[in-house]
Amino acid sequence: MKYDFTAIEKKWQQRWEETKPYAAVTGEKDKPKFYGLIEFPYPSGQGLHVGHPRPFTAMDIICRKKRMQGYNVLFPIGFDAFGLPTENYAIKNHIHPAVVTKNNIANFTSQLKMLGYGFDWDRAVNTTDPDYYKWTQWIFLQLYKHGLAYKTTMPVNWCTSCKCVLANEEVVEGVCERCGSPVVRKEKSQWMLKITEYAERLIDELDDVDYIERVKIQQRNWIGKSTGTEVDFTAANGDRLTVYTTRCDTLFGVTYMVLSPEHPYLDRWKDQIKNWDEVAAYIDEAAHKSDLERTDLNKDKTGVRLAGVEAINPVNQKKIPIFVSDYVLVTYGTGAVMGVPGHDQRDWDFATKFGLPIVEVVKGGDITKEAFTLKDDTGIMVNSGFLDGMTVRDAIPAMKQWVTEQGIGRPKTNYKLRDWVFSRQRYWGEPIPMVSCPKCGWVPLPEDQLPLVLPEVENYEPTDDGESPLSKMTDWVSTTCPKCGGPARRETDTMPQWAGSSWYYLRYMDPHNGKALASKEALDYWSPVDWYNGGMEHTTLHLLYSRFWHKFLYDIGVVPTKEPYQKRTSHGMILGEGGEKMSKSRGNVVNPNDIVSQYGADTMRLHIMFIGDFEKAVSWSNEAVKGSKRFLDRVWNLAEACSDDPAVTPANEAVVHKTIKKVTEDIDELKMNTAIAAMMTMVNDFSANGCSKGDIRILLLLLSPFAPHMVEELWEMKGFAAETGKMAMQNPWPEYDESKTVEKRVELAIQINGKFRGTMQAEADLDNDAVAAMAAGNELVCRNVEKLGGRIVKTIVVKNKLVNVIVK
Ligand SMILES: [Zn+2]
Ligand SMILES: [Zn+2]
């Protein structure tokens, strides 16, 4: 029979659809639970690309093995469907985003089913479904009620093309991450979430989870905790100018100050600044630059000295100039910095350019950024008054104490992490359930009025003034105040794309619950997610956001664990042939549908796992896919031809136990490629040694998580389904015996015509023909045969002892 993958895959997918072998059972007490999670996809119009199957297949394999090992497994799927690509497509093609979303989800669903993933489809969620986003809105209201959501006017990143506010994380090299258009700064009133309140715990509690190290490092760096000192400088006019520094030991070396162009003092000092026109022009210019452009270390230092206003260094009462420069961001620290050109590269560049004094205060301290980050704190203080002669290590606490005693400073912990901009002026997002009343201010919508459903609009285009298209829906916007009953207006901003994904893993636990985001029983049973795999690019966005929401939900008693995910791993990207990033414009995008129709889903699954080290980027190769197909063909042929013996062939025993061990351990360590290589070796040995039904049974069980369709077909064909009354995937994972994984080897004496000539190593208990064949190929034997000028006429084997080669 031919390996007809198209018919086989269709047959088994239908069987799984009917019998639901992947259904998770909430509350099952007899089995341990395992919750495996992948990042749910954004259902784009292009459909699934070849990057999706890599993490999806890996977690599917893990979950399938766990099921066979007796776990009650939850492996869910859903769709993160709000957001700009769909909205932009809807605008361009005049189709409602809800319709676009529905079509895209249907397409994704059929593609995911085509690949044979063992998802519990009855738990599928869609973030744009009002039954889902009712709870996203509910969580927002809880955040608001606990003081963690607030509205404020602030400079924001504004994409000139998308006409919407971007989070810092969405601005890449000064341009919009989505469309590549320039990003400018704009003052806007925004809803904000106080993620900064959780900064400390988001760092500390990383110690309690099993994340790969690079994820932990990226999160720690992003949160950017530093312990330093706030120091009050004074402007000559009496205004207090506070700076934050981690190096208060260098205060005697401060020779100038710099204010951010957005610093409120600039406007306040308008009349005292003699060169105001020049300053105003500089401020305007800075408004058109992104944060990244402004803080680029290599850029030319620019700035304007404020004429007529000076500051006083509080440690030596010296008058120092004040500059405005765009490398200082108002959202960072206090928006004012002190310049220490003797010991900081950027300050040195700045001082040199503007002809400012450079004072050395640490002897032997290099003028480099590295020196300033305190790698070496053994430098000796000079030109620093009461600090002279101390090491940097001692000078920092001494100065900290001194400024505190003088009342001009205080210890301060700083974080780079900013609060999360949580509104956007677009249509396709969750409505923010808040009402603005002229009398009462912002009033939350009563919870029994949730979900606040997104109304139908004629036009989804953002307005030219940057307001949401919802603002044009007067019927929807005009409402009554829930508090005083007077006329009021609804918030017309919607939530950012990161909202729905911040808690979706909780909804999977109990997706149809109408009374709560999930029942307590389901939350207690399934929490936390045992293993979450996802892209490195989500480390400082989604992963951090969802940890923040989870910790908040824990604090208010909704969820039972402090952390949402016990383990986090990450996969490398799949690049196009030749190692370039896959993109439409390069024409190197691989569509999984093409691979599946040509070779089958099992080959696709196997290949995407065999392609290379899971954590590293790899290039796709159409040629290499064929190798994976050939392997499955060999398994198929071997299974057809095997003997009816139900026992494992003695000659195969060692490879069987070795392979079980290897595949079992490799799956747990995400080394799918080496697990497959081990099965390939096993198949080679089966071919060489001969193969029984007992051997094939083990191979099928090990291969089942990787190539489930073909395995079930062979399992049925060989009669195992009838024998066990179960599919292969429902049988226990094979066990190995450690002692049998080691091949026993013996040393055989080599005799030529009865005379001892040397020894050779061989597997113990090898049959005589195999030993004779080995001897014939042995170098020592060959040399002797040649020397005697004859040929081997007979070989006598004494099992595990000697081999006597007769040459004539
Ligand atoms: Zn854009
Ligand atoms: Zn009111």
Side-chain angles (χ1 to χ4, degrees):
M1 235 168 79
K2 193 174 143 270
Y3 167 35
D4 180 358
F5 53 82
T6 309
I8 291 169
E9 288 173 4
K10 206 175 148 205
K11 168 183 162 183
W12 289 99
Q13 282 165 19
Q14 210 169 338
R15 183 81 60 89
W16 300 336
E17 194 92 43
E18 288 156 13
T19 61
K20 299 186 193 293
Y22 310 115
V25 188
T26 298
E28 164 81 76
K29 295 269 186 322
D30 299 335
K31 291 177 174 180
K33 68 96 180 173
F34 179 80
Y35 184 174
L37 184 67
I38 46 153
E39 289 177 335
F40 62 165
Y42 181 80
S44 72
Q46 285 90 48
L48 213 62
H49 60 76
V50 82
H52 289 116
R54 196 180 202 192
F56 292 7
T57 308
M59 190 53 74
D60 190 39
I61 289 168
I62 292 164
C63 287
R64 283 173 179 274
K65 171 170 156 278
K66 287 279 184 192
R67 271 189 213 101
M68 292 172 79
Q69 288 179 317
Y71 285 80
N72 177 26
V73 171
L74 172 55
F75 183 42
I77 184 72
F79 300 96
D80 187 14
F82 274 129
L84 281 179
T86 298
E87 185 167 350
N88 290 339
Y89 181 88
I91 291 169
K92 211 169 141 194
N93 298 286
H94 306 287
I95 310 172
H96 194 283
V99 177
V100 177
T101 299
K102 195 170 159 252
N103 294 340
N104 290 350
I105 287 181
N107 184 35
F108 263 71
T109 300
S110 79
Q111 283 188 303
L112 291 167
K113 287 186 174 172
M114 166 191 86
L115 286 163
Y117 293 131
F119 294 127
D120 183 348
W121 281 100
D122 291 340
R123 292 174 184 259
V125 302
N126 164 2
T127 55
T128 67
D129 179 347
D131 287 341
Y132 180 91
Y133 69 67
K134 168 181 180 174
W135 299 105
T136 313
Q137 292 172 330
W138 181 84
I139 296 170
F140 178 88
L141 289 181
Q142 309 315 308
L143 286 161
Y144 178 79
K145 287 170 188 172
H146 288 82
L148 293 168
Y150 62 98
K151 203 163 196 191
T152 188
T153 299
M154 61 171 305
V156 292
N157 303 304
W158 179 258
C159 173
T160 47
S161 168
C162 298
K163 291 179 183 169
C164 85
V165 173
L166 304 177
N168 277 333
E169 298 87 329
E170 294 169 299
V171 183
V172 176
E173 289 171 12
V175 300
C176 170
E177 186 196 32
R178 287 202 177 69
C179 71
S181 304
V183 173
V184 297
R185 306 191 66 75
K186 197 170 171 166
E187 290 277 329
K188 268 216 149 286
S189 175
Q190 298 289 339
W191 282 102
M192 306 287 293
L193 296 186
K194 244 189 226 173
I195 188 172
T196 50
E197 194 122 309
Y198 282 74
E200 188 79 34
R201 281 167 62 190
L202 287 168
I203 289 183
D204 291 349
E205 286 162 19
L206 279 174
D207 294 344
D208 307 334
V209 289
D210 175 22
Y211 290 5
I212 49 173
E213 202 50 34
R214 58 197 170 117
V215 168
K216 286 191 180 186
I217 290 168
Q218 269 196 27
Q219 288 209 343
R220 283 196 195 105
N221 288 348
W222 185 259
I223 296 165
K225 180 180 176 177
S226 66
T227 43
T229 314
E230 256 182 11
V231 182
D232 302 328
F233 284 63
T234 329
N237 62 15
D239 282 332
R240 189 204 283 175
L241 272 170
T242 303
V243 302
Y244 171 79
T245 177
T246 55
R247 291 296 304 273
C248 62
D249 57 311
T250 62
L251 272 167
F252 284 94
V254 175
T255 57
Y256 66 94
M257 291 190 78
V258 181
L259 301 185
S260 141
E262 295 85 10
H263 201 287
Y265 279 6
L266 291 170
D267 199 52
R268 194 197 305 185
W269 294 344
K270 211 169 174 172
D271 297 334
Q272 297 162 61
I273 298 171
K274 294 195 177 106
N275 56 340
W276 175 250
D277 287 350
E278 195 189 347
V279 171
Y282 186 82
I283 293 171
D284 184 57
E285 208 178 300
H288 292 92
K289 290 184 189 168
S290 72
D291 286 1
L292 213 97
E293 267 178 280
R294 285 171 50 171
T295 52
D296 181 359
L297 280 177
N298 298 317
K299 80 159 190 145
D300 219 22
K301 304 292 171 293
T302 63
V304 178
R305 183 175 178 155
L306 307 184
V309 192
E310 284 181 307
I312 295 159
N313 184 337
V315 296
N316 55 16
Q317 305 305 315
K318 279 192 182 149
K319 283 194 173 169
I320 54 174
I322 305 175
F323 286 77
V324 55
S325 178
D326 62 10
Y327 78 79
V328 182
L329 304 177
V330 75
T331 49
Y332 226 78
T334 61
V337 301
M338 58 188 213
V340 189
H343 302 281
D344 180 85
Q345 184 65 52
R346 191 177 54 187
D347 293 354
W348 189 87
D349 292 345
F350 193 88
T352 308
K353 174 157 182 184
F354 291 94
L356 301 164
I358 297 172
V359 179
E360 186 187 44
V361 288
V362 183
K363 207 168 177 79
D366 292 331
I367 304 175
T368 59
K369 188 109 177 78
E370 286 72 36
F372 213 70
T373 53
L374 203 56
K375 239 185 210 160
D376 177 18
D377 56 2
T378 56
I380 303 295
M381 303 305 300
V382 290
N383 300 321
S384 293
F386 68 94
L387 297 179
D388 281 355
M390 286 187 193
T391 60
V392 168
R393 190 190 295 145
D394 295 335
I396 292 176
M399 181 57 100
K400 198 177 274 191
Q401 192 186 345
W402 187 83
V403 293
T404 307
E405 281 166 8
Q406 298 292 311
I408 53 164
R410 59 214 70 85
K412 167 103 177 151
T413 302
N414 231 7
Y415 298 93
K416 280 191 202 159
L417 186 71
R418 302 290 100 202
D419 277 343
W420 174 8
V421 181
F422 199 71
S423 44
R424 88 176 26 176
Q425 293 69 42
R426 298 292 297 233
Y427 174 72
W428 195 231
E430 300 87 346
I432 294 174
M434 297 293 295
V435 169
S436 171
C437 169
K439 275 191 221 147
C440 314
W442 285 107
V443 181
L445 206 65
E447 285 172 21
D448 60 13
Q449 289 180 33
L450 298 180
L452 173 60
V453 178
L454 200 56
E456 298 269 336
V457 296
E458 298 261 307
N459 196 346
Y460 332 105
E461 303 226 25
T463 61
D464 285 335
D465 58 6
E467 291 307 314
S468 158
L470 290 178
S471 63
K472 299 244 164 90
M473 296 278 310
T474 27
D475 285 359
W476 186 80
V477 173
S478 303
T479 184
T480 50
C481 170
K483 210 163 160 188
C484 70
R489 284 173 57 83
R490 287 191 198 284
E491 173 57 79
T492 59
D493 284 1
T494 53
M495 297 187 196
Q497 203 189 325
W498 312 107
S501 60
S502 291
W503 72 280
Y504 76 114
Y505 58 94
L506 296 172
R507 190 62 175 171
Y508 283 145
M509 297 176 187
D510 189 13
H512 309 294
N513 196 318
K515 295 198 184 82
L517 58 83
S519 70
K520 193 179 171 304
E521 187 210 0
L523 290 162
D524 284 346
Y525 182 78
W526 291 113
S527 295
V529 171
D530 294 286
W531 191 339
Y532 190 15
N533 185 82
M536 276 311 283
E537 70 275 22
H538 297 136
T539 303
T540 54
L541 298 161
H542 156 69
L543 198 65
L544 201 61
Y545 293 158
S546 57
R547 288 184 63 221
F548 160 47
W549 277 34
H550 192 91
K551 287 180 186 302
F552 166 68
L553 291 172
Y554 174 77
D555 289 349
I556 63 168
V558 174
V559 296
T561 59
K562 282 186 187 173
E563 287 284 342
Y565 322 115
Q566 190 50 44
K567 176 173 179 160
R568 171 78 174 185
T569 53
S570 201
H571 52 276
M573 242 201 301
I574 303 264
L575 304 167
E577 298 228 17
E580 286 197 304
K581 209 172 160 173
M582 280 193 200
S583 73
K584 250 191 187 167
S585 57
R586 288 197 183 96
N588 62 353
V589 175
V590 176
N591 185 340
N593 291 37
D594 298 339
I595 308 296
V596 170
S597 67
Q598 213 175 339
Y599 303 105
D602 283 336
T603 294
M604 172 77 192
R605 294 171 56 106
L606 195 77
H607 186 63
I608 205 95
M609 291 295 99
F610 190 55
I611 198 166
D613 187 340
F614 185 73
E615 288 206 44
K616 300 210 173 85
V618 284
S619 306
W620 180 262
S621 155
N622 280 325
E623 199 48 41
V625 185
K626 292 179 191 161
S628 296
K629 172 66 169 38
R630 275 196 298 274
F631 170 64
L632 292 184
D633 286 335
R634 285 191 72 189
V635 173
W636 181 271
N637 294 335
L638 205 59
E640 278 198 319
C642 74
S643 77
D644 281 337
D645 188 349
V648 168
T649 309
N652 288 333
E653 196 169 59
V655 75
V656 162
H657 286 271
K658 250 195 317 201
T659 312
I660 297 173
K661 182 180 183 197
K662 179 88 179 135
V663 174
T664 305
E665 290 173 355
D666 282 359
I667 291 177
D668 289 336
E669 287 165 26
L670 273 174
K671 292 181 188 157
M672 307 301 180
N673 53 338
T674 52
I676 294 167
M679 287 188 278
M680 289 174 168
T681 305
M682 188 190 206
V683 165
N684 283 342
D685 285 12
F686 283 6
S687 303
N689 300 338
C691 160
S692 69
K693 206 175 138 181
D695 298 328
I696 284 293
R697 193 178 150 274
I698 303 290
L699 172 61
L700 292 180
L701 290 172
L702 294 179
L703 191 58
S704 160
F706 296 82
H709 310 87
M710 189 186 89
V711 164
E712 293 305 342
E713 185 67 17
L714 290 174
W715 188 259
E716 194 177 63
M717 235 168 73
K718 299 312 285 182
F720 297 126
E723 280 167 30
T724 60
K726 284 174 179 163
M727 289 186 272
M729 67 163 87
Q730 293 164 320
N731 272 264
W733 186 251
E735 308 256 346
Y736 62 91
D737 179 342
E738 184 73 51
S739 69
K740 287 181 179 161
T741 63
V742 203
E743 274 176 68
K744 284 188 213 102
R745 298 187 74 80
V746 287
E747 197 174 61
L748 300 176
I750 298 175
Q751 294 180 348
I752 309 286
N753 294 341
K755 236 183 181 169
F756 178 79
R757 296 287 176 190
T759 60
M760 71 177 203
Q761 295 279 325
E763 221 174 286
D765 303 323
L766 217 53
D767 66 50
N768 292 354
D769 289 347
V771 176
M774 267 179 81
N778 183 283
E779 206 194 316
L780 184 89
V781 174
C782 291
R783 249 189 291 132
N784 276 285
V785 172
E786 207 176 309
K787 222 160 53 183
L788 293 168
R791 57 183 189 88
I792 301 173
V793 292
K794 199 177 173 189
T795 308
I796 302 153
V797 178
V798 179
K799 203 165 205 153
N800 296 337
K801 290 230 165 68
L802 68 85
V803 51
N804 183 11
V805 182
I806 311 298
V807 181
K808 268 184 185 158

